[in-house]
Amino acid sequence: MTLILGIESSCDETAAAVVRDGRTILSNVVASQIDLHAPYGGVFPEVASRAHVEVIGAVVHQAMDEAGLTYADLDAVAVTRGPGLAGSLLVGVNYAKGLAFASGLPLVGVNHLEGHIYSLWLTEAADKLAFPLVCLIVSGGHTELVLVRDHGRYEHLGGTQDDAAGEAFDKVARLLHLGYPGGPAIQKAAAGGNAKAHPFAKARTDAPYDFSFSGLKTAVLRAATVQPRPGQPRQRGEESEAPLKPDLRVADVAASFQRAVVMALVDKTLQAAREFGATAILLAGGVSANKALREEMGKASPLPVYTPPLHLCTDNAAMIAAAGTQRFLQGQRDGLDMDVQPMWPIISLEAMGG
Ligand code: KG4
Ligand code: ZN
């Protein structure tokens, strides 16, 4: 039996969880900062790291209490080392180092994206998963298409050239005055809308499995807001403060935008699954909570599509503990000099020399 404590603080969730054998969640505590960042319409880095510092101790203690374990029962501490906000990552990594030092437990640094992939191993789908798999990781910070050849063996097929999918949802929600976080707000607004009302064009990308969403955001801005007259500069201030067209059907814009994002994600994921002979498609990350994405992918895919339940789609530490379990079992150990990696790409174990 392997018992791992996972710690996650890469963005705006402070989380700790205990997982048995990389499969069974014994506790999963998440302190969200959504309310703190809502006034800014996005995550404010300094506010995020300060909030992590305030709650991390309590979050870890609660996770241990709920699991009914002491540190002596654990095999290791796994912590998100990157990618993410440097100041936020530092809080979790330093806390984990302190814990490892004080308790003598091994320390295992985990890639946040790998964590999202392993969220699927915490679900009932785990027994059915057979390699190779194609995983689409879509969140506020990421849009990554990853070929999972085996445990700890990845190939990064493509990613976003500009905005992440979740970021696009958040920005468009802001310019439609729908609030933060944008994903759920757009989904709700889109429910009564006509997705064919605005035929937003598909973005062209340099590589077949890359994505681009910033052009789409500009197209929504043009369709939805009052444009300055030719030759007249836009008023000072943010694009998101531009007034909406008076007769605008926000539901139609939201639905059309959502459809454009979903179709781009579905098309490229299916194409990758075909090319690499995947046995199934995995969806992970906050945006995989999107109902239209789940439905479209399910409808269009000849392969099974697996998605974690909502609370495992968004950032959590159970997925970090699950990924950490694999890494721990394959021998990865990190020193107390381990540093955060804000721009860390997802890499295979052998590439780490571990
Ligand atoms: O994975 P996550 O919790 O944090 C990051 O690592 O970024 O993802 C958060 C993102 C936000 O951009 C949020 O707007 C988006 O996931 N999101 C959604 C939905 N629920 C959350 N996007 C589309 N539809 C949703 N239902
Ligand atoms: Zn995430």
Side-chain angles (χ1 to χ4, degrees), residues 38-129:
Y40 307 103
V43 177
F44 200 107
E46 281 80 8
V47 173
S49 29
R50 225 173 307 138
H52 286 305
V53 171
E54 280 168 20
V55 301
I56 191 150
V59 167
V60 171
H61 289 152
Q62 193 183 332
M64 291 301 292
D65 279 354
E66 286 180 12
L69 299 174
T70 65
Y71 293 121
D73 299 319
L74 297 176
D75 291 286
V77 180
V79 63
T80 306
R81 187 180 173 192
L85 300 168
S88 291
L89 288 165
L90 266 173
V91 178
V93 163
N94 283 337
Y95 196 91
K97 281 184 189 175
L99 244 173
F101 181 69
S103 62
L105 288 169
L107 178 71
V108 179
V110 171
N111 185 298
H112 181 83
L113 298 174
E114 192 174 357
H116 275 300
I117 292 174
Y118 274 90
S119 65
L120 272 303
W121 269 267
L122 297 166
T123 70
E124 282 163 14
D127 290 325
K128 299 180 218 148
L129 299 178

Side-chain angles (χ1 to χ4, degrees), residues 25-41:
I25 298 175
L26 302 187
S27 64
N28 190 15
V29 180
V30 181
S32 168
Q33 304 176 2
I34 282 185
D35 295 345
L36 280 179
H37 300 290
Y40 307 103

